[in-house]
Amino acid sequence: MTTRQPGARPLDGIRVLDFTGAWAGPMATRSLAFLGAEVIKIEGPSRMDSWRETVAGVEKSRYPDLVRGERPYNRSFRFNSQNHDKLALSLDLKSPAGVQIALDLARVCDVVVDNFSPGVMESLGLGYKALCEVRPDLIMVQMPAYGSSGPDAYAVAFGPNMEAMTGMASLMGYGGEDETPVLTSNAYLDPIGGLHGAAAVLTALMYRSRTGRGQHVEVPQRETAMQFAGELLLEQVETGKVFVPRGNAVPYAAPHDAFPTLGEDEWIAIAVLDDEQWRVLCETLGCGQLAADPDFATAHERRHNAVRLHQELSSCTIQQEKWALAEQLQSRGVPAAPVCTGEDVAENPHLVSRGVFVEVDHAEAGRRRYPALGYRLESTPGRIERASPLYGEHNRRVLSDVLGLSDEQIDQLEASGVIASAPRTAPSATIPKEKVL
């Protein structure tokens, strides 16, 4: 039985080679770093992680204090939210020397993760077969959008169109005259894929600890996300009944909706599961006449008269403060919650008291708060120790400490462009943009 030192984390001693970009892949490797793994993040001199935005920067909203700075790619809040505790190595995989360094790193790594489209790693000479030649017990986790086989394998993939491909969009919308499907957000599938990717790594590591064997693991992001709407999709398959979007309405509660409250664009979500909760809701709102209205006497009647119900309740909630009203309703057994803005979440006393947000010093973005991950291990807790890395920040550290290269060898690699301390503006011809997820 292994005895862990106080403060040890579950993945201490595990090294991960990270070829991921954007959100899904980096969130998977961020989870591994949170749990103690040493994660070496590879970016190309001509193709950095897309969440660094561009060399010159994009709209100011992507940067702290709305300031791009001299090196916007080091200040992007999106990149800096998903790459804590990683070591950054800028490596040109178009060059034989760059590929050899990647192979040398794989030799001393336990896990390799990428979220390229199928075939990209093989085209670089870094497919699973090639990596196993240098590290037979290696675990390789690949996260293609649609899997490595089948008619859609090479389809272009971003969060919104992947979400549509899962069937989710057909389940969301307002119904009636406006039957347009509604997407949840910009890239809801990415964090789902990220957590599945991390779970896949942990599962493979457990297998290796028992058998001594590594393996190749595929995490198709479309298929992982389908699990989140699985029961509704299966119901349609089994019954042949096509689901009709109906906004926030559900068959088991009425009302079940968001209602306006005091202030600009402020809302409260309320769900009434039975007639007693309906009575309490009306009493709390001071709208006793609604409880006596025969149009709202039962859940069936409330659903049938949903439009008028929403109008009547809105006229009662609009004068109430969302937090106070939610607390009153919750204390009386009515499910209710304020609809939180981003600022509400960031400043929420409950979340702050639980240490959900961690302040981290970043060399170019300054001291900022970032959300930790949503799981807590009592004996081996994860933690954020360092800010996300600057571009190429750890080139020398990785090449010297991990691979044992001399200063002269590293200088030669930098002079020849195999490594870089700043991104180039020219795009890479080796990995086409449409091939990167």
Side-chain angles (χ1 to χ4, degrees), residues 53-332:
E53 311 301 351
T54 66
V55 174
V58 292
E59 61 265 25
K60 293 181 180 180
S61 62
R62 299 282 177 87
Y63 307 97
D65 304 319
L66 305 181
V67 176
R68 296 184 183 91
E70 293 183 13
R71 291 170 289 275
Y73 49 85
N74 286 330
R75 287 176 52 80
S76 169
F77 83 84
R78 298 204 302 174
F79 178 88
N80 289 340
S81 72
Q82 298 301 321
N83 292 282
H84 308 297
D85 294 300
K86 299 179 186 180
L87 302 176
L89 173 62
S90 170
L91 188 62
D92 186 359
L93 298 177
K94 295 182 296 183
S95 68
V99 173
Q100 186 58 55
I101 289 172
L103 290 170
D104 291 341
L105 286 170
R107 183 178 290 109
V108 294
C109 284
D110 302 279
V111 180
V112 170
V113 185
D114 81 85
N115 63 334
F116 293 135
S117 291
V120 171
M121 289 294 279
E122 286 76 9
S123 70
L124 294 171
L126 297 171
Y128 179 60
K129 183 177 180 180
L131 296 179
C132 281
E133 290 180 2
V134 299
R135 179 71 188 252
D137 65 346
L138 185 78
I139 294 165
M140 185 175 195
V141 174
Q142 298 192 276
M143 301 172 61
Y146 305 121
S148 60
S149 61
D152 296 329
Y154 294 94
V156 177
F158 294 95
N161 66 295
M162 281 196 292
E163 183 175 310
M165 291 283 277
T166 65
M168 282 185 181
S170 70
L171 305 175
M172 295 178 288
Y174 295 97
E177 295 180 0
D178 183 5
E179 297 182 356
T180 304
V182 177
L183 297 175
T184 54
S185 65
N186 184 44
Y188 179 68
L189 267 63
D190 284 64
I192 296 175
L195 292 174
H196 275 80
V201 171
L202 297 176
T203 303
L205 284 170
M206 177 63 74
Y207 174 79
R208 193 181 72 170
S209 72
R210 294 177 176 176
T211 67
R213 295 193 294 271
Q215 61 179 303
H216 178 256
V217 182
E218 187 175 278
V219 183
Q221 293 181 53
R222 178 191 188 184
E223 294 169 30
T224 63
M226 286 170 60
Q227 315 309 313
F228 281 67
E231 76 281 7
L232 295 174
L233 299 175
L234 287 174
E235 180 183 7
Q236 292 190 39
V237 171
E238 291 297 319
T239 66
K241 183 179 179 180
V242 177
F243 183 92
V244 178
R246 48 181 176 260
N248 292 325
V250 295
Y252 55 83
H256 185 278
D257 209 342
F259 300 91
T261 57
L262 190 65
E264 183 180 355
D265 198 24
E266 299 287 3
W267 301 80
I268 186 172
I270 300 173
V272 170
L273 303 176
D274 55 43
D275 293 341
E276 174 60 19
Q277 288 182 359
W278 168 243
R279 184 193 65 78
V280 172
L281 171 63
C282 294
E283 182 180 291
T284 304
L285 290 173
C287 299
Q289 75 280 6
L290 297 182
D293 192 319
D295 283 351
F296 307 137
T298 66
H300 173 77
E301 293 296 334
R302 292 193 292 274
R303 283 193 293 270
H304 182 70
N305 298 292
V307 174
R308 180 176 164 236
L309 175 65
H310 190 276
Q311 293 171 344
E312 296 282 4
L313 285 176
S314 294
S315 68
C316 297
T317 61
I318 192 66
Q319 300 302 322
Q320 305 265 2
E321 197 278 326
K322 67 181 182 181
W323 293 94
L325 178 56
E327 185 175 352
Q328 291 178 54
L329 292 172
Q330 289 168 2
S331 69
R332 301 191 66 184

Side-chain angles (χ1 to χ4, degrees), residues 370-393:
Y370 299 95
L373 290 163
Y375 41 86
R376 301 174 182 230
L377 289 76
E378 182 178 1
S379 300
T380 55
R383 57 183 178 269
I384 297 174
E385 294 185 336
R386 300 190 312 274
S388 295
L390 306 178
Y391 180 87
E393 179 179 356

